[in-house]
Amino acid sequence: HEDLPILDVDNDGFSPYEGQLWNVDGHGHGTHCAGTIGAIGKNGKGVTSVNPDPSKFSFFIGKGLTNSGSGSSSGVLQAVETCKESGANIISMSLGGGGFSTVANSTYASIYDAGVLIVAAAGNAGTSAYSYPASYSSIMSVAAVDSNENRASFSQYNDQVEIAAPGVGVKSTLPGQGLPGDGSPRDGSYASWSGTSMACPHVAGVAALVWSHFPNCSNKHIRQALIASARDKGAAGCDRLFGHGIVSAQGAYDYLKEKGCNFEVVEARGGCDQFHDPPPSTTPPPITQPPSTPPTPVPSPTPSKAPVVAPVVPPSPPGSCIGISVDIATVSHSSEISWSIKHFLNPLGDAIASGAGFTQHDASYNQNECLEAGVYSFSISDDSGSTGTGTYKLSLVNGGKVFIEGQLGNAKEHVFGFVSQDTVHVTDSCGNSVLSGF
């Protein structure tokens, strides 16, 4: 790409996938993230970045996902481990998928303890579900904010979210296309994308920039500096939406300039429990170890369907609610799709559940929600106005019964009501009954 540093094909990357070259980005997602971290500044081309001077840092590309945006847990771990073995100080992971894995948790913890700072996207489902790898305690989970520093509606929120960064309408680099002489942009192009995938490289880039000024600091010092200096947003102090706040390069630099690299750090806890500033004491406080029981895991998605953005791990439902699953399968125009569920008798009220930020084509997204018995409206829109852009369906988590399904394209509304887990009544937008019971 014309606006990215030149890399050595033989030494500066790795792909665990047979037939998939690390230096060929068939999707564009990785190139976009790389541009946020290190697009070249003051060259009269494209965009600038967090690290505009390529002499101050270097890339090593681990191809965690294939050109289609899918991949496997083993492939991601191979890519991460190769980055570590190749000397990476910071690993940026704008991806997610599957539930808690003891093997993955141990691998990331080992890499973190070896001195590598790992940063990952919190997820784009807009729920409180845990997304992995971001929700492992050894990894900084990054939420997204817009240009007004408001939380992006798609950004996942939970007690593992540690920090926030710009993730809405981020303009960055995309790969070149075509063959010589065909008129296509072989030198690369540019586009504005949204997602926690776009927020993640902002934090990774700031970490690299700050660390370059304080090379004697450890990854744990850099992590603490980032969260201690983040600009507080939302509720006072750390919260589930923004974590410790919005990343600040100047703030982190000032923090380390004042404290140096000799202050106390603790083991990884993640999110709001991650160590901030030590209380004044002549005796260091005891270190509380991370909990031995991980967040409730769920079965991993089929690797071949895993999108770059994180599929959702469903939250634990209350005992009396009815679990439903919302599934979106995109073909194209995915970023223009959004849906919401509201109480039917309160159409102007806030959505009970919603989804947006479907940035990948040919991908499957799943979100689980739990609803009390009652009547609801499900609205889904596809602003592209095109047909054949994908499908949607709603089903019961218990038993998998599908009660609403359709093709994406324009706006649609369905009304449905729960009497019990086994009795659902569905009408179309005109009030005609289309399904009653199972």
Side-chain angles (χ1 to χ4, degrees):
H1 194 287
E2 64 175 7
D3 204 19
L4 289 172
I6 297 173
L7 302 183
D8 183 341
V9 174
D10 297 323
N11 298 302
D12 289 341
F14 166 79
S15 171
Y17 302 106
E18 185 176 357
Q20 299 270 320
L21 300 175
W22 72 263
N23 59 321
V24 174
D25 182 2
H27 188 278
H29 188 269
T31 303
H32 196 279
C33 294
T36 296
I37 294 172
I40 301 169
K42 298 181 180 179
N43 62 351
K45 298 177 181 179
V47 296
T48 189
S49 66
V50 181
N51 294 275
D53 185 351
S55 70
K56 302 294 186 182
F57 76 102
S58 62
F59 278 122
F60 183 90
I61 308 300
K63 194 180 184 77
L65 300 173
T66 67
N67 291 331
S68 66
S70 64
S72 65
S73 297
S74 61
V76 171
L77 287 177
Q78 286 182 64
V80 169
E81 289 178 313
T82 304
C83 286
K84 181 255 183 183
E85 292 166 2
S86 300
N89 298 114
I90 301 164
I91 297 176
S92 181
M93 305 180 70
S94 290
L95 51 82
F100 182 94
S101 162
T102 302
V103 172
N105 186 41
S106 176
T107 300
Y108 290 122
S110 176
I111 292 172
Y112 179 73
D113 288 340
V116 180
L117 182 66
I118 315 173
V119 185
N124 295 339
T127 70
S128 60
Y130 291 110
S131 175
Y132 295 94
S135 293
Y136 294 121
S137 61
S138 55
I139 297 178
M140 296 187 74
S141 178
V142 184
V145 298
D146 62 21
S147 58
N148 294 316
E149 298 189 346
N150 296 315
R151 169 186 161 265
S153 61
F154 54 77
S155 186
Q156 279 170 241
Y157 52 94
N158 51 59
D159 58 10
Q160 282 297 306
V161 168
E162 193 161 319
I163 200 165
V168 177
V170 177
K171 188 174 183 179
S172 189
T173 49
L174 289 180
Q177 303 167 4
L179 299 171
D182 68 359
S184 60
R186 287 184 53 76
D187 289 333
S189 57
Y190 306 87
S192 296
W193 286 5
S194 298
T196 54
S197 285
M198 284 63 252
C200 174
H202 276 97
V203 173
V206 168
L209 179 64
V210 173
W211 210 342
S212 70
H213 290 279
F214 301 94
N216 293 325
C217 283
S218 71
N219 59 329
K220 296 176 182 180
H221 291 124
I222 298 299
R223 184 177 189 176
Q224 180 168 322
L226 292 177
I227 62 177
S229 62
R231 296 196 307 278
D232 190 27
K233 294 291 293 186
C238 188
D239 62 70
R240 295 158 62 92
L241 301 180
F242 300 91
H244 294 272
I246 300 174
V247 67
S248 169
Q250 185 65 54
Y253 174 87
D254 292 342
Y255 182 90
L256 290 174
K257 186 175 181 181
E258 176 186 351
K259 292 182 174 291
C261 301
N262 297 315
F263 55 85
E264 180 185 0
V265 293
V266 299
E267 298 306 311
R269 298 189 182 114
C272 285
D273 287 337
Q274 185 63 37
F275 197 67
H276 207 285
D277 269 328
S281 173
T282 56
T283 303
I287 297 173
T288 302
Q289 297 300 322
S292 59
T293 303
T296 303
V298 299
S300 298
T302 303
S304 63
K305 300 296 281 185
V308 174
V309 295
V312 179
V313 182
S316 300
S320 60
C321 66
I322 299 164
I324 70 166
S325 178
V326 181
D327 292 278
I328 306 292
T330 64
V331 175
S332 61
H333 303 290
S334 54
S335 62
E336 299 168 328
I337 301 165
S338 62
W339 63 266
S340 66
I341 295 175
K342 294 185 176 183
H343 284 291
F344 178 67
L345 297 179
N346 187 20
L348 299 181
D350 293 336
I352 302 169
S354 62
F358 307 118
T359 57
Q360 306 306 318
H361 296 179
D362 298 315
S364 297
Y365 297 83
N366 167 262
Q367 183 168 326
N368 285 12
E369 298 292 341
C370 232
L371 305 178
E372 305 295 330
V375 182
Y376 302 91
S377 65
F378 171 75
S379 301
I380 187 164
S381 63
D382 179 0
D383 292 340
S384 70
S386 303
T387 58
T389 56
T391 61
Y392 63 91
K393 68 178 181 181
L394 275 67
S395 60
L396 293 177
V397 171
N398 185 12
K401 298 286 188 179
V402 177
F403 59 91
I404 290 175
E405 59 185 335
Q407 297 284 328
L408 296 173
N410 298 316
K412 298 182 177 69
E413 183 175 7
H414 303 267
V415 177
F416 64 96
F418 289 111
V419 177
S420 69
Q421 178 69 59
D422 299 316
T423 306
V424 182
H425 184 77
V426 183
T427 68
D428 61 20
S429 58
C430 296
N432 302 310
S433 180
V434 295
L435 178 64
S436 183
F438 285 129

